[in-house]
Amino acid sequence: MSSPSSPPSPPVRVPTPVPGLGTGIVCGVLGVALLILVAVRWSPLMSLDRSVADALHRRAVDEPGLVHANRILTDWVWDPWTMRVLITVAVVWLWRRGARVLAGWVAATCLFATLLQQGLKAAVGRERPHWPDPVDSAHYAAFPSGHAMTAAVTCGLLLWLLHRHGAGRRVWRAALVAAWVSVIGVGLTRLYLGVHWMTDVFGGWLLGAAVAAFSVAGYERRERASLPRRP
């Protein structure tokens, strides 16, 4: 007489790789490393910052028309408040569609990024470039660039939302181009106008990308964890 078969073992859940986690780790590590070098005022990096700033400022002084165009871009088109308006529109749209957890997650990510940015500015306390003939002015500490960091977080989150909601190929390509132009463009305007050092902009890009990537990874991991197990 055959012995009764043992009950089947419960299925093993194989963790799925989290999209964006690797990007977040790489950008976060590089951003922190750059922050440390700036905080200790590593001489080779400070010299590079100064040489880039001097070269761009000499050019800006001789090109008032280009300065005006850059000021319009940095103060209106790519201003952090413009980015926050875009995020607010996305959050309201998600809320009205019933995706309230996702809406709150996006809003919380942007709030965290702003607090992190201001905290780092206060902690590092880096002075901005000073010029006898400035073409623009800015306040508060320099590192990281708030414009660059806000643009990286905003564009990263908006691209993720478009991808989640099945944007068409043309829309996706247009959004991708617009995001890259905005993130890179706003950093270059801050350098050209002489209100940031090069490392401020790179720090903003890296830390902003890290925040956006960790946020995406965290939400998608939470979403997968909430799915019922397959029998």
Side-chain angles (χ1 to χ4, degrees):
M1 188 174 179
S2 61
S3 59
S5 59
S6 58
S9 58
V12 178
R13 296 184 68 185
V14 179
T16 306
V18 180
L21 185 58
T23 300
I25 292 172
V26 171
C27 291
V29 169
L30 292 176
V32 171
L34 184 59
L35 185 154
I36 293 171
L37 293 176
V38 168
V40 301
R41 299 187 60 80
W42 189 48
S43 181
L45 198 57
M46 299 300 101
S47 298
L48 179 60
D49 270 345
R50 172 52 68 181
S51 63
V52 171
D54 286 344
L56 288 174
H57 182 68
R58 286 195 299 270
R59 181 171 179 178
V61 169
D62 294 334
E63 298 176 333
L66 195 53
V67 166
H68 181 66
N70 275 269
R71 293 187 68 175
I72 292 174
L73 290 171
T74 197
D75 292 339
W76 295 98
V77 180
W78 295 322
D79 184 77
W81 283 107
T82 303
M83 297 294 165
R84 292 177 186 128
V85 168
L86 293 175
I87 285 292
T88 301
V89 171
V91 167
V92 171
W93 180 79
L94 290 169
W95 188 274
R96 296 187 65 176
R97 286 175 59 91
R100 298 188 173 182
V101 173
L102 180 55
W105 190 280
V106 171
T109 299
C110 292
L111 177 60
F112 171 78
T114 300
L115 294 176
L116 176 64
Q117 170 206 130
Q118 294 302 318
L120 291 176
K121 282 180 178 290
V124 177
R126 189 184 198 188
E127 291 189 0
R128 295 177 184 267
H130 294 289
W131 309 105
D133 50 353
V135 298
D136 199 2
S137 62
H139 307 287
Y140 309 113
F143 187 93
S145 165
H147 281 69
M149 186 169 175
T150 303
V153 173
T154 300
C155 291
L157 291 176
L158 292 178
L159 286 174
W160 172 53
L161 293 175
L162 283 173
H163 180 71
R164 278 182 61 91
H165 289 84
R169 183 175 299 178
R170 290 184 180 179
V171 172
W172 173 253
R173 287 178 178 173
L176 197 60
V177 170
W180 276 105
V181 169
S182 297
V183 172
I184 295 174
V186 73
L188 295 180
T189 63
R190 306 308 284 166
L191 290 177
Y192 187 80
L193 294 171
V195 293
H196 271 295
W197 305 103
M198 180 186 66
T199 46
D200 301 337
V201 171
F202 275 97
W205 283 338
L206 289 169
L207 294 170
V211 169
F214 279 130
S215 176
V216 169
Y219 186 85
E220 293 191 347
R221 172 169 286 182
R222 173 197 171 278
E223 195 173 45
R224 281 192 298 275
S226 65
L227 294 175
R229 294 187 180 185
R230 293 182 179 180

